[in-house]
Amino acid sequence: EVQLQASGGGLVQVGGSLRLSCAASGFTFDDYSMCWFRQVPGRKREGVSCLSSSDGRTIYADSVKGRFTVSSGNAKNTVFLQMNNLQPEDTAIYYCVAQYDRDWYEGLPYDDYDYRGKGTLVTVSS
């Protein structure tokens, strides 16, 4: 059974930091590119960051560049999203997704990802 378990969300003050984790199981992690999306209720879901499994390339939405870092680190089958200098507009539900790398491209729509996990809520208070 494929699982993508996101965790690490919570309530943080403006300027604070959070580290999201996404634990993957049920598929060959190294063959999949991993991405984070976020959604504010009532608004369109947006891509936040991706980590390509083929070349380690990372991409970020303009709104989070310089503040967020995606990595897989040394943890097995886990991808992280380090979020620094959080702002109220970062408040959202964050989702972890996975796509077979050969079929992944920048801008792939959320609904087209092979695997999509449940989200974790991030709330930034001012």
Side-chain angles (χ1 to χ4, degrees):
E1 178 187 4
V2 171
Q3 288 192 340
L4 291 173
Q5 183 64 52
S7 61
L11 175 63
V12 64
Q13 292 187 333
V14 169
S17 297
L18 284 174
R19 189 194 198 201
L20 304 184
S21 300
C22 176
S25 61
F27 60 95
T28 305
F29 184 79
D30 291 345
D31 290 341
Y32 283 74
S33 288
M34 304 294 294
C35 297
W36 290 93
F37 282 74
R38 67 186 181 185
Q39 186 173 30
V40 176
R43 297 175 64 176
K44 185 179 178 180
R45 188 179 280 114
E46 65 169 337
V48 175
S49 181
C50 289
L51 175 62
S52 169
S53 66
S54 60
D55 57 10
R57 181 167 59 105
T58 57
I59 62 172
Y60 299 94
D62 288 342
S63 58
V64 306
K65 280 181 181 177
R67 300 188 299 122
F68 289 13
T69 303
V70 64
S71 67
S72 59
N74 295 321
K76 185 175 177 61
N77 295 355
T78 302
V79 64
F80 303 97
L81 186 66
Q82 177 67 42
M83 306 185 297
N84 298 329
N85 190 23
L86 283 161
Q87 301 298 312
E89 54 266 33
D90 296 317
T91 295
I93 301 172
Y94 284 71
Y95 299 88
C96 173
V97 298
Q99 177 66 33
Y100 186 57
D101 186 74
R102 188 176 300 176
D103 300 324
W104 177 78
Y105 61 91
E106 185 176 350
L108 181 69
Y110 174 87
D111 289 339
D112 291 347
Y113 275 80
D114 288 334
Y115 307 124
R116 305 182 295 274
K118 295 182 179 179
T120 184
L121 176 63
V122 172
T123 304
V124 184
S125 65
S126 56

